[in-house]
Amino acid sequence: QVQLVESGGGLVQAGGSLRLSCAATGSIFSINHMVWYRQAPGKQRELVAHITSGGYSNYADSVKGRFTISRDNAKNTVYLQMNSLKPEDTAVYYCAAGKVLTTDGRFMTSWGQGTQVTVSS
């Protein structure tokens, strides 16, 4: 079980960009799913993007074409490049790792502490 630490959040104007990083203490090479979730105040946790050990990635419809997930196994780090940010992207973003992927993340075995992303209009 790896420990995950997110970084890169902050305050940005609408239309701007941020890149989130998720650094793992151990190897992510064989981890089936590396995932970014987000949770806005008063809302349920939402799966934003995930990437498999084989490099397959998928995105929530709300971020397709704007966000890109990538993983660097040599650095044990996963990234989320977020472009054309909108106020509705405002949330705490969490990195997670696990074997079984669900939209609510209940089977993820490792979680980061979260990083706040705030997009002003």
Side-chain angles (χ1 to χ4, degrees):
Q1 185 170 335
V2 297
Q3 293 185 340
L4 304 173
V5 178
E6 303 100 333
S7 60
L11 173 64
V12 64
Q13 289 188 333
S17 298
L18 285 174
R19 188 176 82 153
L20 305 184
S21 299
C22 171
T25 56
S27 175
I28 65 169
F29 179 78
S30 61
I31 294 178
N32 286 11
H33 299 282
M34 296 298 300
V35 191
W36 286 99
Y37 290 90
R38 67 185 180 188
Q39 189 163 21
K43 294 187 177 182
Q44 290 186 335
R45 185 161 56 202
E46 176 187 18
L47 190 157
V48 177
H50 79 96
I51 187 165
T52 68
S53 55
Y56 170 82
S57 59
N58 201 11
Y59 302 87
D61 287 342
S62 58
V63 307
K64 278 182 180 176
R66 301 187 297 122
F67 290 12
T68 303
I69 189 171
S70 60
R71 62 193 290 167
D72 186 335
N73 290 335
K75 294 183 178 180
N76 295 318
T77 301
V78 177
Y79 304 97
L80 185 68
Q81 178 67 43
M82 307 186 294
N83 298 329
S84 302
L85 283 161
K86 304 175 181 180
E88 51 263 44
D89 294 318
T90 295
V92 178
Y93 284 70
Y94 298 91
C95 178
K99 291 184 177 180
V100 179
L101 179 69
T102 59
T103 54
D104 63 1
R106 65 188 184 275
F107 294 125
M108 292 288 108
T109 54
S110 297
W111 289 88
Q113 82 288 354
T115 185
Q116 176 71 46
V117 171
T118 303
V119 184
S120 63
S121 56

